Amino acid sequence: MHRALVLRALASISLLSSLVAGCDCGGDPPGDACESSTDCRSTQECIDGTCVARTDGARPGLDASGDSGGACVDFDGDGRCSDVDCDDMDETRGGPERCDGVDNDCDTRTDEGLVEICGGSCSPSCDVETIPGAGGWMPDGTNSEGVIVDPSGALTLGRTEATSFSVWVANMDDGTVSKMDSRTNRELARYPTVGATAPAGSRPWNEMCAWTRTGGNCPSRTAVDQNFDAYVANRAFYAQGTVTKVANREEDCVDRNANGVIDTSRDLNGDGTIDIATAEFVGVEDECILWTTAVGADNAWPRALAIGVAPPDALVGDVWVGTFEGRQACRLSPVDGSTINCVAINNLQPYGAVSDSMGRIWFVDRSGARRDILGYVDAGGTTFTPAAPVPDAGFPPNLQAYGITVDADGRIYIASSASDPPILRYDPATMTWESATLPLGGTPRGVAADEMYLWVGISHESQAFTGALSDRVEQLRLSDLSHVATHRIPTGRQPVGVGVSFDGSVWAICQGTNSASRLDPMTGAWIEHGVGLHPYTYSDFIGFGLNVFAEPRGRYRFRQTGCEAGEFGSQRWLGARVNAEIPASTEVTLWVRVGNTPEEVEAATFIGPFPAPIANFAGPPGPIPQGRIIEVEIRLVTMDRRVAPRVMSIELAGECTGS
């Protein structure tokens, strides 16, 4: 839209010139010389070196090589063949609707969608630009997240390689968290689980975990948010429990010492392992550790950890922590870790947590003394609602919950270590419980679901932590909880946490061998790699459950430049029309910010949401300010994993006001 008025004037001059050149003022065909029909107008053909009028309006088509091919009928000479031109007798009709007072697309409506974004009228000053241009949508690591371009060229939700292949493993007895690459099982970085901003009373990062006295941070659960940043819960028995946030991408880290580089853990020698005795490990001053915050009182034991669905004005949800001894669910700000509020949870002693697509945060009890072991905090974050109790008939008497997960239908799965049957499923829609047995028995710990299967880590070969350390991950079918296969880890023992990654791999965190094991379900091949001392986690430590089942979402940003301030006046951005398919349970919104320079745009706050398909920038939540440059962020959300919105294009309207 740069210098729109000048471009329109130049276009008018060009059109006038072509009309004058094409007029012979005598009514006869112009008779221009030609070598082929491509040298002539669309309504002419080349015969004996001269352009003459076609009697049927046909013009030659072009094949893939650009040579003349089959005939194309174009009676009105507008460049569109009759088979795609809705009115081939009128050159103003055919193709997409334009803001010109004509029903261009022949749907009996005139200027539909364009009048609304041009401020109520199709005045000549309203300039409409279609995004994307000829190159199509081009998502990359700098302008987008969570979106792909589908085979038809539409922007839609998808998994992004830049942000979704990290696996976060809490190492209980050396106070660190390992960041692994889910495709290669190589260790990319390692961080202490408390940073330089740790509150007073926090234990040093490098103490071994003490279960029966004060000592160590005892990190256990990790969770991953919508930006794929990681959070680690430090239980810190008999001391101050904390949660720490670590940035996944280096561009989100903070150069706190202002030395111009990010001082952070890296695999400097490329061997796939972080040596914490070298420069590969930075320690508490690591600039990718964003914050460490206290949760609850001393000896509260932060155990359960989950990320909530993001509110409409944010891309990342709040952090939810269940304190086992505190018997509360506390909500933290993902920005700085400050406590927003804490909720009483019916005296549950929470061991795990998971969020669903309705924004509910589910907590499961592991006191072993009750049947009402499950309940949720509502999306507003203020009210706890118990689930239906586990029935007595047909279910085990002793419920010792460990892992918890959710599937695409919102059903909750729990692994119970000391019961038979050991796998429980709760359906919130019917408020009913089901159960499943494991053919080889054992002690189930972590659970994770993908689109078809439930994966269960077995830590011991016998029930309730007895017998030899296990090497098994069990695979169950979600449709009926039937057993599919037993997968044995080659050398890893005592798998506790289990997770599913975006590349399709399944992960088992093996506490007995200080290792993380990656299974390719398609081939049955395992890759094993060492991590820290006594790794631990029963949570969504890859972010698959949140970002696939609870809240798949993505974003795409682009900038557009209007007229030069002072030369043609100032730029006013009027509105936008989103050409998209938006199924039920999905949403497309626009967020915008404006400035006269790129620096001003970067410093401005996004205004939104403007709901698709028509966004009027003068109305709520606007009006937006004037400015030469506009940045538009398209946000796509679905509450149903099986469907996603598709954005084909956006028509952006603006005008140069008087100077």
Side-chain angles (χ1 to χ4, degrees), residues 357-653:
S357 63
M358 296 179 65
R360 301 173 295 194
I361 309 296
W362 294 85
F363 292 91
V364 64
D365 172 86
R366 193 177 174 270
S367 65
R370 55 196 300 169
R371 309 299 290 176
D372 54 341
I373 62 171
L374 184 66
Y376 65 87
V377 177
D378 68 308
T382 59
T383 303
F384 179 79
T385 301
V390 179
D392 291 326
F395 290 85
N398 185 14
L399 301 174
Q400 295 280 350
Y402 265 86
I404 181 173
T405 193
V406 66
D407 70 10
D409 294 317
R411 296 174 296 188
I412 308 298
Y413 297 79
I414 299 166
S416 180
S417 63
S419 59
D420 191 19
I423 305 301
L424 307 178
R425 177 164 73 182
Y426 181 70
D427 188 343
T430 61
M431 295 187 292
T432 57
W433 289 88
E434 298 176 81
S435 64
T437 59
L438 299 172
L440 299 179
T443 302
R445 303 282 282 276
V447 289
D450 60 22
E451 286 88 345
M452 295 180 63
Y453 302 109
L454 183 72
W455 302 88
V456 184
I458 310 299
S459 68
H460 293 73
E461 288 298 342
S462 300
Q463 193 182 69
F465 310 104
T466 59
L469 296 183
S470 172
D471 60 358
R472 290 186 283 128
V473 172
E474 301 289 359
Q475 180 183 3
L476 281 67
R477 193 172 285 105
L478 292 179
S479 58
D480 58 4
L481 291 179
S482 60
H483 185 260
V484 177
T486 296
H487 302 271
R488 293 191 178 274
I489 307 167
T491 64
R493 295 296 180 270
Q494 197 180 3
V496 287
V498 173
V500 175
S501 179
F502 296 92
D503 62 3
S505 60
V506 175
W507 284 70
I509 309 305
C510 297
Q511 195 171 87
T513 47
N514 302 323
S515 59
S517 301
R518 177 194 187 275
L519 169 67
D520 182 343
M522 299 299 294
T523 65
W526 289 89
I527 303 175
E528 300 180 77
H529 197 287
V531 289
L533 188 60
H534 293 160
Y536 215 103
T537 187
Y538 301 119
S539 46
D540 189 10
F541 57 93
I542 302 174
F544 186 89
L546 174 67
N547 289 284
V548 172
F549 296 144
E551 188 185 30
R553 60 170 50 206
R555 58 180 173 173
Y556 182 97
R557 290 181 183 178
F558 66 87
R559 290 187 181 183
Q560 194 69 24
T561 301
C563 58
E564 294 278 4
E567 185 175 354
F568 303 104
S570 58
Q571 180 72 25
R572 184 159 66 106
W573 301 97
L574 302 172
R577 179 171 68 172
V578 182
N579 301 307
E581 295 176 0
I582 310 176
S585 301
T586 73
E587 180 181 72
V588 176
T589 58
L590 301 184
W591 296 69
V592 298
R593 59 183 179 180
V594 178
N596 286 311
T597 65
E599 293 75 18
E600 286 185 8
V601 174
E602 196 67 33
T605 301
F606 276 102
I607 299 172
F610 294 95
I614 301 297
N616 175 12
F617 294 157
I624 68 171
Q626 293 188 2
R628 177 171 170 254
I629 305 170
I630 187 172
E631 184 170 57
V632 179
E633 181 170 284
I634 312 167
R635 297 186 183 179
L636 297 83
V637 177
T638 180
M639 294 298 184
D640 185 342
R641 171 63 181 162
R642 292 159 291 195
V643 294
R646 301 173 64 249
V647 178
M648 279 64 80
S649 64
I650 291 180
E651 291 163 289
L652 187 62

Side-chain angles (χ1 to χ4, degrees), residues 320-374:
W320 283 93
V321 188
T323 57
F324 188 85
E325 288 297 313
R327 306 184 189 215
Q328 286 185 316
C330 292
R331 178 168 52 153
L332 313 181
S333 164
V335 176
D336 59 9
S338 58
T339 298
I340 299 172
N341 67 299
C342 292
V343 182
I345 52 174
N346 200 29
N347 214 34
L348 292 184
Q349 292 189 277
Y351 207 76
V354 69
S355 60
D356 69 13
S357 63
M358 296 179 65
R360 301 173 295 194
I361 309 296
W362 294 85
F363 292 91
V364 64
D365 172 86
R366 193 177 174 270
S367 65
R370 55 196 300 169
R371 309 299 290 176
D372 54 341
I373 62 171
L374 184 66

Side-chain angles (χ1 to χ4, degrees), residues 273-307:
T273 299
I274 300 298
D275 184 346
I276 64 173
T278 70
E280 293 186 329
F281 181 79
V282 174
V284 295
E285 298 295 338
D286 194 300
E287 292 178 333
C288 287
I289 300 177
L290 300 182
W291 48 256
T292 298
T293 191
V295 181
D298 281 6
N299 203 37
W301 299 12
R303 266 182 164 155
L305 183 65
I307 311 300

Side-chain angles (χ1 to χ4, degrees), residues 110-131:
T110 300
D111 299 335
E112 68 273 9
L114 298 176
V115 171
E116 295 93 328
I117 68 173
C118 280
S121 64
C122 276
S123 66
S125 64
C126 179
D127 192 53
V128 179
E129 187 82 5
T130 300
I131 311 297

Side-chain angles (χ1 to χ4, degrees), residues 175-195:
T176 66
V177 58
S178 293
K179 177 183 176 181
M180 316 295 290
D181 186 322
S182 73
R183 297 158 296 183
T184 62
N185 199 356
R186 296 171 68 86
E187 191 175 22
L188 304 175
R190 196 183 297 189
Y191 311 91
T193 63
V194 295

Side-chain angles (χ1 to χ4, degrees), residues 59-71:
R59 61 182 171 85
L62 299 178
D63 60 23
S65 65
D67 297 328
S68 296

